[in-house]
Amino acid sequence: MRHARAAQALPPIVRILLAVAVSIPLMVIDQRSHYLREIRSILSTVIYPIQYVASLPQKVGTGVGEFFTSHQVYQQENKKLRLKVLKLKAAQLKYDALLAENARLRALFKAAAKVADKALIAELIEVNLEPFTQKLLVDKGGRNGVFVGQAVIDANGIMGQITGISPSTSTVTLVTDPGHAIPVQVQRNGLRTVLFGTGATNKLSLPHLTATSDIKTGDVLITSGMAGRFPAGYPVARVESITSDANESFLEIVALPVARLNHSKEVLLIWPGSEATVSVKREDEK
Amino acid sequence: MIGLGQQHRDRCRMVIAISFLLALILDVLPLPYWAEPFRPEWVSMVLIYWCMATPQTVNVGYGWLMGLIVDLMQGSLLGQNALAKSVIAFLAVTFHLRVRMFPLWQQSIFVVVLVLIGQAITIWVKGLTGGLYPTWMQWMPGLSSMILWPWLFVVLRDVRRLSRAK
């Protein structure tokens, strides 16, 4: 009790100096090192109930909406999906044959076989994260084997990467985040460069290409696999516009992400196949 | 007598804790896309209220803790909101005697100044660490907080009086 009294007697100016003296090293450590990752992960568990409660209205809303969706609508959707599965299955047949052929050719050249990537479906938790950054919260975490730096995709392409983990949730930083960069190459000719987020929801920039670079509007940018963080070969963006200014040594290129960053309710977390394994495994469709 | 005072203090603490919890939930509640930039700074507003009403109980320490929780929830740099919120708490505690006398609309202006100072700190930290997306919309929470302040003030005051009266 006396101790509490003594603490209360501290004048505000001393307290604020203390708060500043603690906060600044904390920020520096969090920015520069990974020591706080574990602590953040543990503390995030405590925060989860708040996030869960905040996401409830949206969940209930969706649930009620689904409850009142008519039988007919579901039937139509079911029919559409069945057709789609049929089409995809047909495409898959061809893909399987190509995959086998590819493995055979690679074996002929004594190159390491590429293993298909493993994937896990995660659902978005609808809560607000840091304003004016491009981040999402998903419902899979350390307990499911998610790791920092893991690539996150949707049906169309790369969405971003995991930057924070707690046992049951993890934070995804999207490719459009102002602090995000991803090594890519132009699918058409293999030209390698780095793609940066801008902070706008639907805009990416390629600042490092000179006026002589072979790039056109409509070019698809795929991950190059450089830096080893993202698996190679996934589409990331499509070049939208190229502005050439005679006074600037670099082109101003705007690209649009191909993943539906604002619409996806479910995302896929990717475990890249290890290059060393020779056997070609395929993950079950699920 | 002492027992009664203790009981009252406990109830007061509980009211404070619940109001902060609600503010935290409102802070992460999903909003429609267009409304996102206008999200009021709920935690800062509740903090300012309690700093002015009960500066002996709620001050810089509470601000720091709430800021840290916000950092954890938002996935931002640990300490970024903690710093901003403790500065807000410090200013609110320092000027509480004067601001208590102000009419509500003048209090609103005081609140908007504090919220903007808090935002300036977080934007500054983001600028230093390379996560900044420069847009004027970043300052909008100040505006919405200012508009909401009189309502929040009246609600929290009534809640506090009720908890004391019983």
Side-chain angles (χ1 to χ4, degrees), chain B residues 4-17 162-166:
Chain B
L4 250 176
Q6 182 65 36
Q7 209 178 7
H8 165 236
R9 209 172 299 142
D10 284 350
R11 205 186 295 138
C12 191
R13 287 252 159 90
M14 188 119 104
V15 169
I16 292 172
L162 269 176
S163 81
R164 199 165 32 181
K166 262 196 178 172

Side-chain angles (χ1 to χ4, degrees), chain A residues 217-231:
Chain A
T217 53
D219 271 348
V220 175
L221 303 167
I222 60 173
T223 47
S224 65
M226 301 286 266
R229 185 150 270 209
F230 288 96

Side-chain angles (χ1 to χ4, degrees), chain A residues 1 5 8 12-16 19-20 22-24 26-28 30-31 36 39-41 43-44 47 50-51 53-55 57-58 126-135 137 171 177-179 198-201 262, chain B residues 6 9 13 21 24-25 27-30 33 36-37 39 56-57 59-61 64 68-69 71-80 82-83 86-87 90 93-94 125-126 128-135 137-138 141:
Chain A
M1 196 67 199
R5 282 271 159 76
Q8 270 176 13
I13 186 77
V14 176
R15 289 168 183 233
I16 185 67
V20 173
V22 175
S23 302
I24 291 178
L26 197 63
M27 285 190 279
V28 173
D30 198 22
Q31 169 80 1
L36 291 178
I39 299 171
R40 189 191 268 268
S41 150
L43 292 177
S44 297
I47 304 307
I50 300 179
Q51 289 174 326
V53 171
S55 71
Q58 189 96 17
E126 299 264 349
V127 291
N128 174 53
L129 293 179
E130 198 180 356
F132 305 102
T133 57
Q134 302 281 320
K135 288 177 184 166
L137 194 71
T171 317
D177 189 86
T198 59
T201 42
N262 288 332
Chain B
Q6 182 65 36
R9 209 172 299 142
R13 287 252 159 90
L21 199 63
L24 286 170
I25 291 172
D27 224 38
V28 290
L29 200 72
Y33 186 70
E36 203 68 70
R39 178 190 298 276
Q56 298 304 323
T57 317
N59 48 44
V60 178
W64 192 81
L68 199 70
I69 295 176
D71 279 332
L72 283 170
M73 285 200 310
Q74 296 189 341
S76 49
L77 201 63
L78 274 185
Q80 171 183 316
L83 182 63
S86 31
V87 169
F90 170 69
V93 168
T94 308
V125 171
K126 270 193 224 169
L128 280 177
T129 54
L132 184 66
Y133 171 44
T135 159
M137 293 306 258
Q138 307 227 11

Side-chain angles (χ1 to χ4, degrees), chain B residues 4 19 36 40-41 45 51 58 62 76 89-90 95 97 100 104 114 116 130 142 147 151 155:
Chain B
L4 250 176
S19 61
E36 203 68 70
E41 287 262 321
M45 289 201 304
C51 280
V58 178
Y62 256 90
S76 49
F90 170 69
F95 294 109
L97 285 176
R100 263 188 205 167
L104 268 182
L114 291 198
L116 289 184
I147 293 166
W151 281 271
V155 169

